[in-house]
Amino acid sequence: LTIADLLKNRVCNVSIDKSGAANRIDEISDIVSEGRMNPFLLHYCSALSTESSPPTKKRLMTWYNETIEDEKDDFLISLKDYAEIYSLFLEPKKCKSSELKEVLNYLKVLGATRCYPLLLVGYKYLSTRDFLKLCKAVETLTFRHSTISGRDAKILEDEYYKLSQRIKNRNKLDPILEKLNDLAKQISDEVFETNFREYEPANNQVAKYILLKIDNLLNKGSIKLDWDDVTLEHILASAADWDGKVDLV
């Protein structure tokens, strides 16, 4: 059984209205979207845990058993609340704010998922303005650390977890942003530039992201290009074996 299956069984076992509890779990699963419930449950646990380090997968069900026992019906209320936030990470187009939609879409394009527990906490505890700052700092770190330099994002999980604890403890945001910036600077400018010159985008979405960012830098944001309104075109046939192929937005 998956964690989602075990969780559903546990919730139903402790609920008086077992049928109602099962329906609420199914509703939460629909909010998150099919196939994403298990990652969500892992990220939800990391977001709410107060342990010294992120709970391991082996301890995940133990944490849920303890949490469900302590919170009873409030557990499903909290789980649904966070599921609705999580759904924005998976489908940024749901965001009402254009700025939030943009930055969450960029994180999705870059494949940034290890940061989700931090973003869940940030969305819950920070103002919209500060949450945007947090997302942009994570975006920069992801691009520099994982996209261009090819480092495993897993090594950032502990750092994200520590930062999420600081946000929950109502620490000021600026030191948290400085920490994310320091992590990004662990890739020196020289190394980053070398890696960037040699980098080949993993897919067209990443290529589009890079070109869009370059365009925004060159025109200093004076010409606002919307992600959904631009397409990726090729000077030379992408399927041909040409040297020096160039992609254009």
Side-chain angles (χ1 to χ4, degrees):
L1 296 177
T2 66
I3 289 296
D5 294 327
L6 293 171
L7 175 72
K8 187 174 182 178
N9 289 340
R10 180 58 178 163
V11 170
C12 290
N13 285 337
V14 301
S15 298
I16 297 176
D17 181 5
K18 300 184 185 303
S19 177
N23 289 336
R24 291 171 73 183
I25 288 289
D26 290 340
E27 181 183 352
I28 291 169
S29 182
D30 289 340
I31 291 172
V32 173
S33 77
E34 185 178 356
R36 297 296 299 176
M37 190 63 174
N38 285 326
F40 164 62
L41 292 175
L42 177 62
H43 292 149
Y44 175 84
C45 174
S46 293
L48 269 67
S49 173
T50 56
E51 298 179 7
S52 58
S53 58
T56 62
K57 287 185 178 180
K58 289 183 178 181
R59 174 161 165 68
L60 194 58
M61 203 55 221
T62 301
W63 183 88
Y64 272 107
N65 286 335
E66 295 170 353
T67 303
I68 292 168
E69 184 64 32
D70 291 340
E71 298 183 7
K72 299 294 190 295
D73 291 341
D74 289 340
F75 169 75
L76 288 179
I77 295 174
S78 173
L79 192 68
K80 182 180 178 181
D81 190 19
Y82 278 90
E84 290 173 344
I85 298 171
Y86 197 82
S87 70
L88 299 180
F89 306 161
L90 301 178
E91 297 183 71
K93 62 184 179 182
K94 292 181 178 180
C95 296
K96 295 180 180 179
S97 164
S98 59
E99 283 187 286
L100 188 56
K101 173 184 173 183
E102 180 181 73
V103 71
L104 289 180
N105 184 60
Y106 289 160
L107 288 172
K108 181 179 179 181
V109 167
L110 296 178
T113 59
R114 304 280 184 178
C115 60
Y116 282 175
L118 174 62
L119 297 190
L120 282 171
V121 172
Y123 192 98
K124 196 72 173 175
Y125 285 81
L126 299 175
S127 66
T128 300
R129 180 180 179 183
D130 283 348
F131 180 67
L132 284 170
K133 291 180 181 178
L134 178 69
C135 288
K136 289 177 181 178
V138 171
E139 178 193 345
T140 299
L141 172 58
T142 300
F143 184 70
R144 206 173 167 94
H145 178 278
S146 304
T147 306
I148 299 302
S149 299
R151 297 192 179 185
D152 189 350
K154 183 174 177 58
I155 64 178
L156 297 174
E157 281 187 339
D158 284 344
E159 297 294 344
Y160 288 145
Y161 184 77
K162 293 173 185 175
L163 294 178
S164 69
Q165 300 301 318
R166 290 168 65 177
I167 291 177
K168 286 188 289 188
N169 291 330
R170 304 292 185 178
N171 288 177
K172 291 184 178 180
L173 181 63
D174 285 347
I176 293 172
L177 297 180
E178 288 174 9
K179 178 60 179 179
L180 290 170
N181 188 45
D182 288 342
L183 290 170
K185 286 183 177 178
Q186 287 182 1
I187 311 295
S188 69
D189 289 344
E190 182 180 4
V191 170
F192 174 79
E193 289 173 7
T194 299
N195 290 337
F196 188 79
R197 291 191 190 98
E198 299 173 353
Y199 178 70
E200 293 185 10
N203 54 60
N204 286 345
Q205 292 287 90
V206 175
K208 178 179 171 180
Y209 167 85
I210 293 173
L211 291 170
L212 198 57
K213 287 289 184 175
I214 291 174
D215 189 84
N216 286 337
L217 178 66
L218 293 177
N219 66 48
K220 299 180 180 179
S222 60
I223 303 174
K224 185 64 176 177
L225 298 176
D226 186 88
W227 177 269
D228 295 327
D229 293 337
V230 296
T231 58
L232 192 70
E233 303 295 341
H234 304 274
I235 291 178
L236 301 174
S238 59
D241 186 20
W242 298 96
D243 290 330
K245 287 187 293 185
V246 179
D247 294 326
L248 292 179
V249 167

